[in-house]
Amino acid sequence: QLQLVESGGGLAQPGGSLRLSCAASGFTLEYYAIGWFRQAPGKEREGVSCIISSGDSTSYADSVKGRFTISRDNAKNTVYLLMKSLKPEDTAIYYCAGVLFGLCTLSPTDFGSWGQGTQVTVSS
């Protein structure tokens, strides 16, 4: 069973940066597409970014394109989400999730293994 743990969340000012990490255990992330999702109060969970198992293809929600960068370090069994130019509307609980050799659809229903989430708050 793939287990994922998110970290790196916290408080950032608008325009600031945070780097989220998604660390895996149970199985190597090498075989999984990993997506980042977020859920703000009163909103549905939405896809933010995804990276396929090879790392050769990534996807981003329109709202974060140009600001967020997803990457993976399979040697460390970790996927990262570098968030720059943060906006208050980025405030949410951020989750990572995996799917074995999956495609990056940014659809939560396509991902079967989820972490517990890490809170990101962007505020002055």
Side-chain angles (χ1 to χ4, degrees), residues 6-8 17 23 25 32-33 38 45 57 73 82 90 95-97 101-102 105 107 109 120:
E6 303 93 337
S7 63
S17 299
S25 63
Y32 290 83
R38 66 187 182 187
R45 188 170 298 187
S57 180
D73 187 341
L82 177 61
D90 295 320
Y95 302 87
C96 65
F101 292 116
T105 64
S107 175
T109 59
V120 172

Side-chain angles (χ1 to χ4, degrees), residues 105-122:
T105 64
L106 296 183
S107 175
T109 59
D110 290 336
F111 292 77
S113 300
W114 292 82
Q116 292 299 116
T118 184
Q119 177 71 49
V120 172
T121 302
V122 184

Side-chain angles (χ1 to χ4, degrees), residues 7 10 58 60 66 70 73 75 87 89 92 100 117:
S7 63
T58 58
Y60 298 91
I70 190 170
D73 187 341
K87 303 176 181 179
E89 50 263 44
L100 187 63

Side-chain angles (χ1 to χ4, degrees), residues 7-9 18-22 36 79-83 94 118 120:
S7 63
L18 287 172
R19 189 197 196 195
L20 306 184
S21 298
C22 175
W36 283 98
V79 172
Y80 304 97
L81 183 68
L82 177 61
M83 305 184 295
Y94 283 71
T118 184
V120 172

Side-chain angles (χ1 to χ4, degrees), residues 60-109:
Y60 298 91
D62 289 341
S63 59
V64 306
K65 286 181 179 178
R67 299 189 298 118
F68 291 10
T69 303
I70 190 170
S71 62
R72 65 192 303 154
D73 187 341
N74 287 337
K76 295 182 178 180
N77 227 21
T78 302
V79 172
Y80 304 97
L81 183 68
L82 177 61
M83 305 184 295
K84 297 181 178 180
S85 301
L86 284 165
K87 303 176 181 179
E89 50 263 44
D90 295 320
T91 296
I93 300 175
Y94 283 71
Y95 302 87
C96 65
V99 57
L100 187 63
F101 292 116
L103 300 176
C104 286
T105 64
L106 296 183
S107 175
T109 59

